Amino acid sequence: MEKKELHNLWQAVLSEIELSMPHATFVTWFKPTEIISIEDQNLKIVVNNIFAKNQFEKKFDRDIKQILKNNGFSRPQIDYVIKGKKEIIKIGEDSAQINNKEKSINSAFKQNKNVAGLNPKYRFSNFIVGNCNDLAHAASQAAAAMPGKKYNPIFIYGKSGLGKTHLIQAVGNEVLEKFPNKKVLYATAETFGNEYIDFVRYKKDRNFSNKYRNVDVLIIDDIQFIAGKTKTQEEFFNTFNTLHQSDKQIVLSADKPPAEIPDLTDRLKTRFQMGMTIDVSLPDYETRCAIINAKADMSGIKMSSEITEYLADQIQTSVRELEGSLNQILAYCEMKNEAPTLDLAVGLLGNIKKSRPKHITAKQIVDKTAGFFDIKVDEIKSKARNKEIVQPRQIAMYLLRSELKMSFPKIARELGRSDHTTAIHSVEKIELNIKLDLQLREQVSSIRERLYV
């Protein structure tokens, strides 16, 4: 079957599936999939990661097969293939087998003398990708595939709790998996600074410089903590130059872009900006749903869509807080030997900050967007076509869609439009440009943060 025919068949299946489930569930699990081959009754479908694979095998497989039968297949069989994986885990492999594979990887990492500081649990395969982090994820994978050759340095920034540490350590773990002989070192900037102070004061660890310079991949977390420390910055400057000139990969994270880190020397700022500087922002609704489902699957607990959507709606500030709240529910269920319910989730999470709105409104989104751009609400709803008004209007439409799941006709009416195709065009334009335009991503992220404070 030709590629176009495969695509058309899978689109027909997706169209039927979309009608049978919540929009967020469809976008999270089904939208990233594609069919790559059909041999007789056997189909291969590509999914994002191991968590999606488990979800399809356990939850969606029967429904997909039924729809395939409706489309001419008598006894369809499906292989769910993880995107980018050469070794495919066969259908029927249970969670115990998957856990054994992870233990095997962890054991191999512990025995590897070329690794220092990495947590083997931080992998690309269990990092949930959304609009908030897809560019950072793609750049990190590219760096891991060709360390020192592409995007060097990688500088990932964003607020605390959004997955930066997971992502930068995933680079190191991926390098070790592909290139076992390469030396990888992960450390926080605080550790680097403290070890340098000990070296200067007490001549402790006389091989300090060699430790950080004799590696193939250096990963430093929270690099902003060396700001204001003149001697530490000088030492890191020399370390950076040594590694970069030798085509060794450097991966850094911070809470701000290099230019905005106070008391950081200009020569470090310019070097940090030499490669790829990219942000990780607050996860949108679909990404939050995916994170909850993935973490629950890791614990072997099936989470209902009602609980998933409740948690995703209530907790918008960080991935870390989202995981913490989910862990409360999972721990309680494990102790009581009970299945999670919506009432249980509501009860356990009753201590969520009172100041956080339980549900934002369309009016709040329009007001906050107008306020961010210092324009009046009447202007954003007007028929004005100048850029200063059009882009804020498009951003407001995008947020109404991404945060409230509003239909396009409702979005159009909320912004004073009679034709919903304007809303469709606006949302699609922002979805496309947000991946390429750093300023736009930061604007959307800032407005989203204002909505949930």
Side-chain angles (χ1 to χ4, degrees):
M1 191 176 285
E2 294 183 1
K3 188 173 181 180
K4 185 176 181 180
E5 293 176 302
L6 291 173
H7 175 76
N8 290 341
L9 170 65
W10 190 235
Q11 289 306 307
V13 173
L14 293 180
S15 297
E16 290 190 45
I17 289 172
E18 188 173 11
L19 298 174
S20 66
M21 62 180 58
H23 176 73
T25 303
F26 176 81
V27 170
T28 298
W29 300 111
F30 284 88
K31 196 171 182 181
T33 62
E34 62 178 316
I35 187 169
I36 56 173
S37 71
I38 297 177
E39 294 181 9
D40 296 326
Q41 297 285 315
N42 298 314
L43 298 85
K44 282 190 177 181
I45 297 172
V46 173
V47 298
N48 262 351
N49 51 46
I50 186 64
F51 307 111
K53 175 181 169 64
N54 292 341
Q55 191 81 350
F56 275 91
E57 290 174 352
K58 295 175 183 178
K59 187 174 180 180
F60 303 127
D61 188 64
R62 182 183 300 176
D63 293 336
I64 295 173
K65 286 178 178 175
Q66 184 56 54
I67 294 173
L68 287 169
K69 288 177 182 178
N70 298 341
N71 283 271
F73 288 81
S74 56
R75 297 185 310 278
Q77 297 298 318
I78 305 174
D79 270 342
Y80 296 101
V81 179
I82 301 171
K83 186 181 294 184
K85 288 287 183 182
K86 292 181 181 178
E87 178 187 357
I88 305 303
I89 301 171
K90 299 298 181 185
I91 287 181
E93 183 174 35
D94 59 23
S95 58
Q97 289 173 294
I98 294 169
N99 289 336
N100 287 338
K101 278 199 171 186
E102 290 296 324
K103 288 178 182 177
S104 157
I105 292 171
N106 294 350
S107 174
F109 273 48
K110 287 177 182 177
Q111 295 172 19
N112 191 338
K113 295 180 181 179
N114 292 330
V115 57
L118 289 173
N119 183 337
K121 292 182 180 179
Y122 290 139
R123 315 282 297 180
F124 287 129
S125 59
N126 59 13
F127 183 83
I128 303 301
V129 183
N131 287 334
C132 57
N133 56 31
D134 56 352
L135 280 181
H137 177 263
S140 298
Q141 284 191 313
M146 301 176 64
K149 306 296 183 184
K150 195 169 188 179
Y151 305 142
N152 193 25
I154 289 276
F155 190 103
I156 297 174
Y157 68 93
K159 294 186 180 297
S160 176
L162 298 181
K164 300 188 301 295
T165 296
H166 186 146
L167 196 53
I168 63 175
Q169 289 207 38
V171 174
N173 287 326
E174 186 79 359
V175 168
L176 286 169
E177 187 172 332
K178 291 183 175 181
F179 312 100
N181 293 325
K182 288 191 179 293
K183 292 184 178 180
V184 178
L185 173 61
Y186 166 86
T188 64
E190 184 180 17
T191 298
F192 179 90
N194 289 339
E195 289 183 2
Y196 176 67
I197 290 170
D198 286 345
F199 166 71
V200 171
R201 288 183 177 176
Y202 311 115
K203 300 303 178 185
K204 193 177 179 180
D205 188 2
R206 294 178 181 275
N207 293 318
F208 170 80
S209 294
N210 288 336
K211 174 183 176 179
Y212 285 94
R213 299 179 192 181
N214 189 27
V215 295
D216 297 293
V217 180
L218 177 63
I219 304 170
I220 301 292
D221 212 348
D222 291 324
I223 193 65
Q224 73 271 9
F225 287 120
I226 70 171
K229 302 172 182 176
T230 305
K231 292 295 184 181
T232 303
Q233 290 190 66
E234 183 177 341
E235 176 63 23
F236 190 78
F237 172 80
N238 293 328
T239 298
F240 184 102
N241 282 347
T242 299
L243 292 172
H244 197 271
Q245 289 168 10
S246 302
D247 290 330
K248 307 301 183 183
Q249 182 67 49
I250 303 166
V251 183
L252 308 170
S253 81
D255 60 353
K256 298 180 181 68
E260 295 180 17
I261 298 176
D263 301 321
L264 187 68
T265 61
D266 288 340
R267 60 182 185 175
L268 278 180
K269 287 181 182 180
T270 56
R271 277 161 177 77
F272 291 170
Q273 294 170 322
M274 286 168 59
M276 173 69 83
T277 301
I278 195 160
D279 68 314
V280 173
S281 58
L282 286 172
D284 57 22
Y285 180 83
E286 280 85 6
T287 307
R288 297 197 296 270
C289 287
I291 290 168
I292 293 163
N293 285 324
K295 298 298 179 183
D297 284 348
M298 286 179 68
S299 301
I301 293 179
K302 186 176 180 180
M303 195 69 67
S304 71
S305 60
E306 290 83 2
I307 300 174
T308 297
E309 290 166 10
Y310 170 75
L311 290 174
D313 185 55
Q314 290 293 309
I315 302 168
Q316 304 95 352
T317 52
S318 77
V319 175
R320 192 171 293 146
E321 185 179 359
L322 192 65
E323 291 180 352
S325 299
L326 177 62
N327 288 337
Q328 288 184 49
I329 295 172
L330 298 180
Y332 183 89
C333 291
E334 185 177 354
M335 287 188 295
K336 297 291 186 179
N337 196 26
E338 296 179 4
T341 64
L342 180 58
D343 288 341
L344 172 64
V346 174
L348 287 176
L349 300 184
N351 60 348
I352 292 177
K353 293 178 182 178
K354 303 290 185 183
S355 60
R356 183 180 301 144
K358 291 185 177 179
H359 183 70
I360 60 172
T361 65
K363 183 178 184 303
Q364 287 173 316
I365 288 178
V366 175
D367 288 351
K368 292 287 186 182
T369 304
F372 179 84
F373 288 101
D374 196 24
I375 60 177
K376 296 178 181 178
V377 172
D378 288 345
E379 290 179 296
I380 208 172
K381 291 185 176 183
S382 72
K383 297 188 182 299
R385 300 300 302 164
N386 50 310
K387 184 179 179 181
E388 292 75 14
I389 304 298
V390 169
Q391 188 173 56
R393 184 187 299 136
Q394 291 175 335
I395 290 174
M397 289 181 172
Y398 169 79
L399 289 169
L400 288 170
R401 182 70 173 174
S402 65
E403 298 305 304
L404 298 185
K405 308 295 163 270
M406 287 180 66
S407 67
F408 289 115
K410 285 185 177 179
I411 292 172
R413 288 196 296 272
E414 194 65 40
L415 273 298
R417 294 295 183 275
S418 56
D419 185 1
H420 72 278
T421 58
T422 302
I424 295 174
H425 169 75
S426 296
V427 172
E428 289 179 346
K429 183 172 183 180
I430 298 299
E431 284 178 344
L432 174 64
N433 291 344
I434 203 169
K435 299 177 183 298
L436 308 172
D437 188 332
L438 174 61
Q439 183 181 18
L440 177 61
R441 285 203 307 276
E442 291 181 342
Q443 288 171 340
V444 171
S445 179
S446 296
I447 295 169
R448 188 177 277 131
E449 286 177 26
R450 292 184 181 196
L451 289 169
Y452 294 117
V453 293

